[in-house]
Amino acid sequence: MTIEVIKNIRVLFREEAKRPVPLLDYLELNDLRIDELLKEEDRNGEFIIEFKLEQDTITLSYEMHEREETSQVEYIVYFICKWKWIWQWYSKRFLEHDIPFDVYPTIIDYAKARIRPLELMEETIQELEGYTKE
């Protein structure tokens, strides 16, 4: 078994016969959110995912309204979001605006700093008290 390293993942959107553009650019140009794009029945196009490996490129494409279990567009969006969250966790900053985020010593410190109203914070802290730092 050969282990391949993914160097880059690009997600593109091609509307009908037009050329593909990065998905985020397409959403920004059309003033859409991803969930709005997926719900639009009148718009036709396909999502193109390119995995750039060390020696090769793998390209997958999915019709935007294709709803089969194995190629569901929402699954691809979920996959992209997971990788974004992993990147943000690893780099300790937000991808879109490059602002470092706060790192708290424990999950209880996070709850105290971030959760409001006070009643919800106290309830959350009671639920989290059994967790270790890990």
Side-chain angles (χ1 to χ4, degrees):
M1 180 177 160
T2 305
I3 296 174
E4 292 277 355
V5 175
I6 298 174
K7 295 290 189 180
N8 191 22
I9 300 173
R10 285 182 20 154
V11 181
L12 307 163
F13 183 75
R14 178 178 23 226
E15 188 173 15
E16 296 175 359
K18 298 178 183 175
R19 75 176 178 83
V21 295
L23 177 60
L24 292 177
D25 292 348
Y26 182 84
L27 294 173
E28 187 176 309
L29 287 171
N30 292 284
D31 195 29
L32 291 169
R33 292 190 340 245
I34 188 68
D35 58 330
E36 294 170 337
L37 175 64
L38 294 173
K39 290 177 184 169
E40 277 194 30
E41 296 295 325
D42 298 340
R43 193 180 306 256
N44 291 312
E46 67 180 343
F47 292 96
I48 301 166
I49 296 97
E50 293 180 350
F51 296 91
K52 175 88 170 136
L53 308 174
E54 291 175 325
Q55 305 291 329
D56 197 10
T57 300
I58 299 170
T59 303
L60 306 171
S61 63
Y62 300 95
E63 288 295 320
M64 70 178 287
H65 297 297
E66 194 172 324
R67 299 294 183 201
E68 293 178 25
E69 181 92 18
T70 57
S71 60
Q72 198 171 34
V73 172
E74 286 90 344
Y75 180 77
I76 298 301
V77 172
Y78 178 74
F79 172 80
I80 294 164
C81 288
K82 282 291 195 182
W83 276 101
K84 178 183 157 193
W85 297 333
I86 290 169
W87 184 91
Q88 289 181 153
W89 169 82
Y90 180 76
S91 63
K92 297 185 173 107
R93 57 194 164 100
F94 292 103
L95 183 59
E96 288 84 7
H97 37 75
D98 211 31
I99 297 172
F101 53 79
D102 295 328
V103 178
Y104 299 95
T106 68
I107 197 165
I108 292 177
D109 293 325
Y110 167 81
K112 287 178 182 175
R114 304 285 299 177
I115 298 175
R116 297 291 182 264
L118 189 59
E119 297 81 32
L120 179 59
M121 180 194 68
E122 290 171 352
E123 182 180 316
T124 305
I125 288 173
Q126 286 178 350
E127 290 174 9
L128 297 173
E129 294 229 327
Y131 288 92
T132 63
K133 185 176 180 179
E134 293 78 33

